[in-house]
Amino acid sequence: IGKIKRGGVLVNFGRGSLIDEVALAKAVESSRLSSAVIDVTKDEPLPQDHCFWSCSNILLTQHTGGGTGDEIDGKIDFFLSNLQHYLDETPLQSLVDFTKAK
């Protein structure tokens, strides 16, 4: 965080564990950084008492915003269906044709 140009913006869409969240909040609050956009945090969901909630210049986006409540069940159902196809020696669903990869 200290290596970022003064007044810069930190954006993290990678791993929450990469950022010292307390140091980031202090850098934004002190105007060392102008702002931050955080899509992932060390703990998800972000605890209600986390320092990011009180930082007006930290934009939090929901990392799992594209998911659904039954997403895990759907993945399990898909796997089990393909497993049955495999065991029955019938065509699998959603095969990737690696010969078309560029």
Side-chain angles (χ1 to χ4, degrees), residues 19-56:
I19 303 297
D20 179 336
E21 295 174 346
V22 173
L24 174 60
K26 287 179 181 177
V28 170
E29 288 174 343
S30 69
S31 299
R32 166 75 182 77
L33 296 180
S34 67
S35 59
V37 180
I38 303 297
D39 184 59
V40 291
T41 53
K42 181 179 176 189
D43 297 315
E44 292 182 358
L46 196 61
Q48 290 182 353
D49 63 343
H50 194 281
C51 58
F52 283 174
W53 293 122
S54 62
C55 295
S56 62

Side-chain angles (χ1 to χ4, degrees), residues 77-92:
D77 290 344
F78 181 83
F79 170 79
L80 292 174
S81 174
N82 250 358
L83 176 59
Q84 192 61 56
H85 283 282
Y86 176 79
L87 294 173
D88 293 341
E89 297 183 357
T90 58
L92 299 177

